[in-house]
Amino acid sequence: QKEVEQDPGPLSVPEGAIVSLNCTYSNSAFQYFMWYRQYSRKGPELLMYTYSSGNKEDGRFTAQVDKSSKYISLFIRDSQPSDSATYLCAMFTGAGSYQLTFGKGTKLSVIP
Amino acid sequence: DGGITQSPKYLFRKEGQNVTLSCEQNLNHDAMYWYRQDPGQGLRLIYYSQIVNDFQKGDIAEGYSVSREKKESFPLTVTSAQKNPTAFYLCASSHGTGGTGELFFGEGSRLTVL
């Protein structure tokens, strides 16, 4: 079993839809969780950063972490064509290790 | 503007040739990383360095070499020993120990072997 599982998609939704992106993980030591957005032929950029369980909201984006289920989610409300990108989840333990473990990324297309 | 600069953006190489990808950062970060990205494979760690003059192998270091002579610079050499070098290469940096763990990425270098 891979440490981090993420459905690669592709996922195609109409403009204005609510998008749900998810990752599952196996290492219960992970404490810090991130979502990166990567536009085509560009480097990833940090979108959301959360510590431990709970929710974090930033504009149209909400990150959720459920450590008991080892499951993290990113919700995008009122999706826009400019949200079309690949979304990568990433996580690390923080216990002396700052190496991130990445999911494979989900490719999202928002259709006008 | 603070950031990470990778060059060249596109590179073509004949089989059997070594190539070096440049990565420079002006964020004053201690740690630097090289990742390889292939379709459907996600990001795979090649090498990382947490301090000048020290670096560690990642998950797929075979056929690659690095150096870290300056804090700002972490070049990656793709050697002829790398069996399948065509890929998108990403350099990243972070504060390292004591930081948030956030990685800052460059724009990437796309290497194609002809």
Side-chain angles (χ1 to χ4, degrees):
Chain A
Q1 181 189 12
K2 295 208 181 293
E3 271 199 299
V4 179
E5 301 273 7
Q6 184 177 10
D7 186 339
L11 181 62
S12 186
V13 301
E15 183 175 353
I18 295 174
V19 176
S20 173
L21 304 169
N22 311 293
C23 288
T24 59
Y25 63 94
S26 58
N27 186 351
S28 58
F30 286 137
Q31 297 276 5
Y32 299 83
F33 304 90
M34 304 176 190
W35 285 94
Y36 281 83
R37 178 175 61 195
Q38 184 178 21
Y39 290 115
S40 182
R41 289 184 284 276
K42 299 287 188 183
E45 56 181 348
L46 184 66
L47 191 60
M48 298 288 281
Y49 184 110
T50 53
Y51 168 69
S52 195
S53 284
N55 293 0
K56 184 173 183 179
E57 190 172 320
D58 184 1
R60 296 184 295 110
F61 300 89
T62 299
Q64 281 187 355
V65 175
D66 181 349
K67 289 189 68 183
S68 62
S69 302
K70 299 191 183 70
Y71 189 87
I72 69 171
S73 301
L74 177 70
F75 296 96
I76 307 174
R77 289 185 300 280
D78 187 26
S79 56
Q80 302 295 309
S82 59
D83 296 327
S84 298
T86 296
Y87 291 81
L88 300 127
C89 62
M91 50 200 78
F92 70 105
T93 64
S97 169
Y98 286 76
Q99 282 196 50
L100 295 185
T101 300
F102 284 88
K104 290 187 176 181
T106 300
K107 186 171 183 179
L108 171 68
S109 295
V110 180
I111 310 302
Chain B
D1 272 323
I4 299 177
T5 302
Q6 287 188 241
S7 63
K9 201 172 178 71
Y10 298 96
L11 184 62
F12 297 89
R13 178 194 109 174
K14 292 182 180 177
E15 282 193 33
Q17 287 181 335
N18 292 355
V19 293
T20 297
L21 308 180
S22 169
C23 178
E24 303 277 332
Q25 56 102 355
N26 59 5
L27 299 168
N28 198 32
H29 285 168
D30 289 316
M32 297 187 74
Y33 309 79
W34 274 104
Y35 288 89
R36 170 178 172 145
Q37 189 173 35
D38 297 280
Q41 297 268 12
L43 294 175
R44 293 186 289 169
L45 183 64
I46 304 172
Y47 268 99
Y48 65 100
S49 167
Q50 294 182 318
I51 196 169
V52 174
N53 291 323
D54 187 49
F55 47 82
Q56 310 294 329
K57 291 182 179 180
D59 300 319
I60 55 164
E62 186 175 348
Y64 300 98
S65 66
V66 294
S67 63
R68 185 87 187 275
E69 296 176 1
K70 298 187 298 182
K71 187 175 184 178
E72 309 80 43
S73 179
F74 192 42
L76 173 74
T77 296
V78 185
T79 75
S80 57
Q82 169 49 234
K83 299 302 180 194
N84 185 20
T86 295
F88 189 52
Y89 291 89
L90 286 161
C91 179
S93 71
S94 71
H95 287 287
T97 306
T100 63
E102 178 185 356
L103 288 182
F104 294 79
F105 285 88
E107 294 276 272
S109 293
R110 184 166 298 278
L111 171 64
T112 302
V113 173
L114 304 172

